[in-house]
Amino acid sequence: MAKNNNHKKPTATVVFIFGGSGDLNQRKLTPALYNLFIDEFMPDNFAIIGTGRTDYSDEKFRGHLLQGIKEFSRRKDDKNATWESFQQHISYLRMDADKPEDYNGIAKIIEDREKAWGEHPNVLFYLAVAPQLVPDIATNLKKLKLCKDKNNTRIVVEKPFGHDLQSAKELNSLLTGLFEENQIYRIDHYLGKETVQNILALRFANALFEPIWNCNYIDHVQITAAETVGVEDRGGYYEQAGALRDMVQNHILQVLCMIAMEAPVSFEANEIRNKKSDVLNAIRKINKHEVQKYAVRGQYGSGWMQGKKEKAYREEKGVNPESSTDTFAAVKFYIDNWRWQGVPFYVRTGKHLMEKTTLITIQFKEAPKYAFPTEASETWRANRLTISIQPEMDIRLRFQAKRPGQTMSLNPVDMVFSYNDNYDEPQPEAYETLLLDAMMGNATQFMRGDQVEIAWEVVAPILETWESRPPVDFPNYAPGSWGPEDAEALIARDGRTWVTLPPKKDRKES
Ligand code: BG6
């Protein structure tokens, strides 16, 4: 068990999970809270209340959550004794989110807790619900007296945050009309990933990288977020989303901000968020007439993947058989500021691709070869820093080395830092980090309203163009491939190629 030696615990907290009986709570939220409990990050006084319309007794609800822990938690082998004491903090409140009178139950629970604990608790309302329910719930919550407590009452809103710029603006204006910005936690789980957080350490805790982290030395940047799964049972949601909305507008642009932002002067929430907003603001808006030049969409057809026959997207449950929804998106962005002038950022994401991998590549410019004999430079490669976010968690720096022998012959080698080889402690899941931050009132790794809106502005020309011009070639990639051919062309036109990790068997020593 990892001991909590240097971390403050939140003070007494009540967490309400709207959508308590849903998937997100069973797979992610309760397992995360349970791991925080095991690692001694939960306060002495805390309560977790699931709310929803399903009729659960406390006991049945706890059983449902335990099932989730057994199936989905990173720790499956914990002693029953830990669960026994954890579950006493969990209860269920049956309520109709659209009935204002049902919210009295919430007020009552908080009053009771306050009396029993003798202290005023933090209250976290976690909205793990369909986006259309958010406005009603937020409006009803606001009527509770406790929501006026700006310092201790917070609302966590899951993605998707809006469907486009207009709806995101409306949602922001509704939420900021009800709560202060510092009470609103817009979650993007990528920001809680250990390897994503490490980007700040890599860039700003080392003197090595920052001086060359700019357009003078960097040729281009790539971000790949590839998944092997298809849309699974989320066809209904995905039809309204597509890859660009589901992954690029949020996760990928947030990661891009971490790579491209200026050095912060502190880790204070608004300082970090200002620096990220600067990046988003500097991303060149793609002209609608040029979308084809900068963006590629794809949709998977049917085919064989790892020995299994996979359905085409259009055959998935909840999907229109003539759907134009993108299950793959690749975009070339430019950031118009001094640091990044002229450096393309290529990003791509998709379902049913060859490998599950999230990978960032910083490709440096080539060093001049003049001093070396021609044959020495046959395998000349530019330096490259590859940051694997998942499932591998490593950073590899590629540089040229001399092959042993009497001739000057070079070849590229990797210097590898791997989390697993360096640390024994297990990595916390993103939701553990983010829930703890939300309980502590630290919004650094959450998105501010303006960031979400600018991110929508960035993708808007692509979304609008795609919507107005239905694709003629869908489905255009096979499951198990790296997406449509046009995505290769997008980068090949610039004389570059997408980077993947070396084959698994060669990874350590490549
Ligand atoms: C979610 C998307 O936000 O992120 C999913 O809605 C996607 O479609 C998921 O599968 C990917 O998250 P991760 O952590 O598995 O990379």
Side-chain angles (χ1 to χ4, degrees):
M1 188 189 288
K3 287 283 179 245
N4 165 19
N5 293 328
N6 63 358
H7 205 302
K8 277 205 313 202
K9 279 186 188 191
T11 50
T13 304
V14 186
V15 183
F16 286 92
I17 302 176
F18 285 78
S21 51
D23 236 30
L24 183 69
N25 187 24
Q26 200 199 26
R27 285 168 179 256
K28 297 285 183 191
L29 304 182
T30 296
L33 290 165
Y34 185 42
N35 281 323
L36 287 173
F37 180 74
I38 295 171
D39 292 336
E40 300 177 12
F41 283 102
M42 290 304 277
D44 299 335
N45 289 326
F46 75 94
I48 300 166
I49 324 286
T51 81
R53 271 198 289 225
T54 315
D55 219 352
Y56 273 126
S57 63
D58 287 348
E59 206 188 331
K60 225 170 135 206
F61 183 56
R62 291 168 182 162
H64 167 76
L65 297 179
L66 178 60
Q67 200 50 44
I69 287 170
K70 287 187 175 153
E71 223 173 304
F72 306 111
S73 174
R74 66 182 168 92
R75 287 198 184 99
K76 299 190 172 63
D77 54 351
D78 282 294
K79 314 281 170 294
N80 282 340
T82 325
W83 169 253
E84 279 311 314
S85 65
F86 179 72
Q87 69 158 358
Q88 291 164 19
H89 298 262
I90 301 178
S91 55
Y92 186 75
L93 174 68
R94 200 205 156 277
M95 65 176 279
D96 239 338
D98 50 11
K99 284 201 185 134
E101 62 275 21
D102 281 11
Y103 287 74
N104 296 334
I106 292 182
K108 170 91 176 56
I109 290 175
I110 296 167
E111 252 170 53
D112 288 352
R113 292 294 94 211
E114 195 165 345
K115 256 189 223 148
W117 295 339
E119 58 180 322
H120 178 61
N122 292 311
V123 179
L124 208 65
F125 294 112
Y126 200 115
L127 272 45
V129 294
Q132 59 272 24
L133 299 178
V134 171
D136 270 356
I137 297 177
T139 310
N140 282 319
L141 283 175
K142 176 62 189 185
K143 292 180 192 146
L144 300 175
K145 208 169 83 219
L146 74 125
C147 287
K148 296 200 177 66
D149 175 355
K150 297 179 184 122
N151 293 324
N152 298 303
T153 306
R154 293 162 211 137
I155 177 164
V156 184
V157 187
E158 265 290 336
K159 72 176 268 273
F161 195 92
H163 180 72
D164 53 16
L165 178 58
Q166 187 52 32
S167 52
K169 277 189 172 166
E170 283 164 15
L171 185 54
N172 265 335
S173 121
L174 177 117
L175 289 175
T176 50
L178 299 169
F179 299 93
E180 298 289 317
E181 176 63 40
N182 70 359
Q183 293 179 278
I184 308 167
Y185 284 61
R186 299 171 193 78
I187 202 163
D188 182 317
H189 78 278
Y190 266 57
L191 294 179
K193 289 183 191 278
E194 199 64 30
T195 37
V196 171
Q197 298 202 333
N198 189 44
I199 297 172
L200 290 183
L202 175 82
R203 287 195 55 198
F204 303 125
N206 296 295
L208 207 57
F209 299 112
E210 196 46 25
I212 55 168
W213 205 262
N214 56 52
C215 57
N216 297 328
Y217 294 94
I218 292 179
D219 175 73
H220 75 277
V221 175
Q222 295 184 19
I223 303 174
T224 292
E227 296 184 272
T228 47
V229 290
V231 294
E232 300 181 297
D233 51 2
R234 296 167 72 225
Y237 152 76
Y238 205 84
E239 272 291 87
Q240 307 305 317
L244 194 71
R245 279 195 178 88
D246 189 46
M247 294 290 291
V248 179
Q249 186 272 344
N250 35 70
H251 307 322
I252 290 186
L253 283 181
Q254 287 299 317
V255 171
L256 183 147
C257 285
M258 306 277 282
I259 294 295
M261 68 192 264
E262 296 301 316
V265 294
S266 77
F267 284 117
E268 199 268 319
N270 271 335
E271 168 64 7
I272 298 276
R273 291 148 126 199
N274 286 343
K275 293 286 188 281
K276 288 185 184 170
S277 288
D278 286 347
V279 175
L280 291 167
N281 272 316
I283 296 180
R284 192 183 301 167
K285 304 293 172 302
I286 298 172
N287 187 316
K288 278 197 189 171
H289 305 295
E290 291 191 313
V291 164
Q292 227 180 338
K293 225 168 99 185
Y294 289 96
V296 171
R297 58 181 152 171
Q299 189 190 77
Y300 61 81
S302 63
W304 289 86
M305 207 175 150
Q306 290 160 359
K308 194 168 159 241
K309 180 90 201 267
E310 299 290 353
K311 282 186 196 157
Y313 174 70
R314 288 175 175 182
E315 294 160 350
E316 302 273 16
K317 204 170 116 225
V319 171
N320 176 350
E322 289 171 16
S323 173
S324 298
T325 300
D326 46 305
T327 61
F328 176 97
V331 187
K332 173 163 80 163
F333 290 114
Y334 282 100
I335 301 173
D336 286 332
N337 60 19
W338 277 89
R339 187 188 282 267
W340 296 113
Q341 195 54 47
V343 178
F345 281 67
Y346 301 95
V347 309
R348 62 175 174 168
T349 184
K351 301 274 185 199
H352 266 342
L353 296 182
M354 189 178 286
E355 226 183 294
K356 161 96 182 154
T357 180
T358 304
L359 201 66
I360 304 166
T361 305
I362 317 294
Q363 178 71 56
F364 291 93
K365 292 186 174 170
E366 275 198 1
K369 326 177 180 165
Y370 313 116
F372 290 89
T374 328
E375 56 284 10
S377 56
E378 266 166 14
T379 51
W380 197 264
R381 296 278 185 282
N383 296 126
R384 174 198 285 166
L385 186 69
T386 311
I387 305 170
S388 302
I389 302 295
Q390 60 181 20
E392 272 74 20
M393 296 169 78
D394 59 37
I395 297 179
R396 43 187 71 225
L397 181 62
R398 185 174 76 178
F399 60 95
Q400 302 287 358
K402 178 188 172 302
R403 280 171 166 274
Q406 300 308 335
T407 50
M408 175 53 85
S409 163
L410 303 176
N411 76 304
V413 290
D414 274 2
M415 209 154 64
V416 182
F417 153 73
S418 145
Y419 270 79
N420 293 340
D421 294 349
N422 281 269
Y423 302 113
D424 291 335
E425 304 97 86
Q427 313 298 326
E429 286 249 356
Y431 275 99
E432 294 171 37
T433 306
L434 295 174
L435 275 164
L436 182 61
D437 280 355
M439 287 191 282
M440 304 273 297
N442 178 359
T444 313
Q445 305 301 341
F446 292 80
M447 289 178 299
R448 208 170 49 190
D450 59 321
Q451 286 179 290
V452 180
E453 289 182 18
I454 317 166
W456 278 117
E457 269 170 39
V458 168
V459 297
I462 310 173
L463 282 175
E464 287 162 18
T465 307
W466 284 359
E467 265 156 27
S468 66
R469 289 195 216 137
V472 285
D473 60 346
F474 275 11
N476 61 355
Y477 72 94
S481 68
W482 277 113
E485 266 178 30
D486 284 354
E488 303 300 325
L490 176 81
I491 192 164
R493 275 200 297 274
D494 300 341
R496 302 175 176 119
T497 50
W498 292 107
V499 174
T500 49
L501 282 177
K504 278 209 172 90
K505 63 178 179 38
D506 304 332
R507 268 180 202 172
K508 262 319 266 299
E509 55 294 317
S510 68

